[in-house]
Amino acid sequence: QVQLVESGGGLVQAGGSLRLSCAASGTIFSINVMGWYLQGPGNERDLVASISRSGKTDYGDSVKGRFTISRDNAKNTVYLEMNTVKAEDTAVYYCYVKIKRFFYSPETEWWGQGTQVTVSS
């Protein structure tokens, strides 16, 4: 199995900053993509940011220039630096990884339990 432990969510004032972390553990051969998605009430999950093992990043349009994704491959951990947050950033943020559990196995997707981020205006 694979476990994803998220941390760093909470309440923050508009214009402030927050840092999310997600550590993957368990039977893992390699992690290709790591990322974050958000889901507001009644909405689908939307991409916030993703990062490949080589460091290539992709961002949702609403967070470009404000959020920064990074990863520590030695720790199997992905981070999301959230700056200049807005009320519309309020959502549950889910960690997402694409993992090969064994050398011979295909990639599988895993999701964290989600961490609530609430931005007060």
Side-chain angles (χ1 to χ4, degrees):
Q1 288 296 319
V2 174
Q3 296 80 41
L4 299 179
V5 178
E6 300 155 332
S7 61
L11 178 65
V12 59
Q13 285 191 330
S17 298
L18 205 62
R19 189 194 198 206
L20 305 183
S21 300
C22 174
S25 63
T27 305
I28 299 171
F29 173 74
S30 65
I31 304 178
N32 182 10
V33 178
M34 307 185 83
W36 295 91
Y37 282 70
L38 64 79
Q39 185 170 22
N43 296 332
E44 296 181 350
R45 288 187 187 181
D46 292 324
L47 174 70
V48 178
S50 66
I51 183 168
S52 71
R53 186 169 183 83
S54 64
K56 181 181 178 182
T57 58
D58 188 20
Y59 292 93
D61 289 339
S62 65
V63 306
K64 286 179 180 177
R66 298 188 298 122
F67 292 6
T68 302
I69 191 170
S70 61
R71 65 189 281 176
D72 185 332
N73 290 330
K75 296 181 179 179
N76 288 344
T77 300
V78 62
Y79 306 96
L80 184 69
E81 295 280 353
M82 306 169 64
N83 296 315
T84 320
V85 295
K86 305 175 182 178
E88 50 264 44
D89 295 325
T90 295
V92 178
Y93 285 71
Y94 293 91
C95 176
Y96 164 83
V97 297
K98 275 188 177 181
I99 285 176
K100 290 189 70 170
R101 297 191 64 204
F102 305 97
F103 172 75
Y104 51 81
S105 62
E107 283 187 338
T108 52
E109 300 178 347
W110 299 79
W111 292 88
Q113 292 184 327
T115 184
Q116 176 70 45
V117 172
T118 302
V119 181
S120 63
S121 55

